[in-house]
Amino acid sequence: MCTNLTRQILSVDLSSLQKAQALLEAGCFVGVPTETVYGLAADATNGKAVARIFEAKGRPQFNPLICHVSSLDMAQAFAQFNDNACALAGAFWPGPLTLVLPLKENSAIHPLVTAGLNTVAVRFPRGPMANLIAAFGKPLAAPSANASGKISPTTAKAVLDSLGDKVDLILDGGACAVGLESTIVKVDGDRLILLRPGSVTLAEIEKVAQMNVSSVQKDATIQAPGMLASHYAPNAIMRLDVSSVMTDEAFLAFGPIDPEVSKNALVIENLSASGDLIEAAANLFSMMSKLDQSGALSIAVAPIPMEGIGIAINDRLARAAAPRELL
Ligand code: TXA
Ligand code: MG
């Protein structure tokens, strides 16, 4: 253990940020809120600290981590920004967009962070994570703070539930505003490739870059997390796009609930009673966890419109429903 803290969860204030910083300086990791999901953060230049993250998550080593920064300057010290990258960072940072960029040679980023790739994923988040990085003065490598393959946490309690006593300190900043992991775009010379959909949409990226952005094929070589077919998996089986709930199923609803459709449900959570996709994204992971913990063997999910952030919601649902033997 890195620390002897008696309380694992502390609300964000100056004193808890200082405790977090001391842990980072000692090569430990901490759970930190961002506007997307909670991250498990460690010094990106310290190989042992980064290795501890992989160990705690039970994460396949080929899956590289995002480097979080608190300024464009900090990012430019280790990643190469061309005009497209500068335009996207200018438009969306700080915010829920991750850029995959060429790694500068002899950068301070530990190779374990990039899993030996010659590219690096960079993001300038909003919220307490940015304050912590600014105080620490170095980039933080941080995957989502969940056991590998499981649902990403959007509250401090969900981090504790997923990783238990493996985490020394979790900063509690309340529920994450976005609730879905960042959009990931790879800047590959003059091309832009969407690796993972998120709340920054393809249309918004194309508007800023003034060019078409391609999406990776589902069966392409693994380049991003989301590319593992089964990811974000609850224990229950997931049935998507259902028009009627079967006996003893949990029901993840969206919009007004038709009593005919839901009459057999064991338990119901509604992503957004008013049919608001932003609200639905923010609720997705916590409601999936809640239904999973209800003990139902199957979760029936209402159809979610394929528009705006609904594309990212459907992406996460499809991965949660994918056959588990692929994990
Ligand atoms: O919103 C988020 O992005 C959250 C918060 C904590 O920032 N983080 C997050 O990290 O979702 P993670 O590790 O769960 O997913 C990031 C994914 C990795 O799984 C990896 O596949 C992809 O980013 N990635 C990282 N470096 C990459 C690289 N050089 N090339 C392609 N994909 C990369
Ligand atoms: Mg993750």
Side-chain angles (χ1 to χ4, degrees):
M1 286 295 257
C2 278
T3 177
N4 297 315
L5 279 182
T6 45
R7 283 176 60 208
Q8 273 180 289
I9 300 187
L10 298 176
S11 50
V12 179
D13 59 19
L14 195 57
S15 137
S16 61
L17 281 169
Q18 282 169 350
K19 283 186 178 131
Q21 189 182 336
L23 284 168
L24 294 173
E25 274 155 12
C28 306
F29 55 71
V30 287
V32 191
T34 80
E35 76 279 49
T36 58
V37 298
Y38 276 69
L40 202 55
D43 179 351
T45 67
N46 179 336
K48 272 193 195 152
V50 176
R52 287 196 184 107
I53 294 181
F54 283 107
E55 185 194 52
K57 279 186 64 100
R59 175 171 206 152
Q61 299 273 332
F62 59 76
N63 209 351
L65 307 179
I66 296 174
C67 282
H68 296 70
V69 296
S70 57
S71 68
L72 183 59
D73 270 2
M74 189 185 275
Q76 284 177 325
F78 60 87
Q80 297 173 35
F81 283 72
N82 65 12
D83 289 349
N84 277 333
C86 286
L88 291 174
F92 299 109
W93 283 5
L97 176 71
T98 296
L99 297 173
V100 173
L101 303 172
L103 181 65
K104 281 194 173 166
E105 269 180 42
N106 303 319
S107 85
I109 302 299
H110 194 275
L112 205 50
V113 174
T114 55
L117 298 173
N118 54 10
T119 54
V120 61
V122 200
R123 174 163 117 74
F124 179 173
R126 284 200 196 110
M129 173 83 102
N131 300 335
L132 183 60
I133 299 165
F136 185 55
K138 287 193 270 183
L140 294 181
S144 49
N146 53 281
S148 189
K150 296 293 181 186
I151 296 171
S152 294
T154 55
T155 60
K157 165 105 177 18
V159 178
L160 195 65
D161 289 348
S162 191
L163 293 171
D165 59 9
K166 289 176 182 152
V167 199
D168 296 307
L169 173 61
I170 304 165
L171 295 177
D172 188 349
C176 300
V178 177
L180 281 187
E181 306 87 347
S182 59
T183 304
I184 304 182
V185 173
K186 182 169 184 174
V187 180
D188 187 11
D190 289 339
R191 288 193 319 149
L192 295 178
I193 307 156
L194 181 74
L195 297 182
R196 179 172 73 183
S199 66
V200 175
T201 63
L202 193 69
E204 288 173 316
I205 294 161
E206 290 186 332
K207 194 167 166 207
V208 168
Q210 297 189 315
M211 61 188 284
N212 286 331
V213 176
S214 48
S215 292
V216 255
Q217 300 297 309
K218 282 223 168 84
D219 58 356
T221 332
I222 289 177
Q223 293 193 54
M227 301 192 65
L228 291 171
S230 171
H231 206 76
Y232 317 104
N235 296 314
I237 290 164
M238 303 280 293
R239 285 201 314 123
L240 308 185
D241 287 322
V242 301
S243 48
S244 89
V245 179
M246 297 193 303
T247 309
D248 288 345
E249 268 190 319
F251 183 36
L252 189 59
F254 177 78
I257 297 175
D258 177 349
E260 242 338 273
V261 170
S262 67
K263 67 180 181 210
N264 293 323
L266 191 66
V267 44
I268 301 176
E269 290 287 334
N270 197 339
L271 289 168
S272 168
S274 65
D276 176 350
L277 285 168
I278 307 267
E279 183 186 13
N283 283 333
L284 181 68
F285 290 137
S286 57
M287 288 187 174
M288 261 165 63
S289 291
K290 216 166 178 183
L291 294 181
D292 203 24
Q293 283 161 18
S294 75
L297 297 179
S298 168
I299 301 174
V301 186
I304 313 289
M306 272 298 251
E307 62 196 38
I309 196 173
I311 295 170
I313 296 175
N314 278 301
D315 171 80
R316 304 305 190 276
L317 285 170
R319 292 181 203 294
R324 308 297 158 80
E325 61 271 19
L326 292 177
L327 246 193

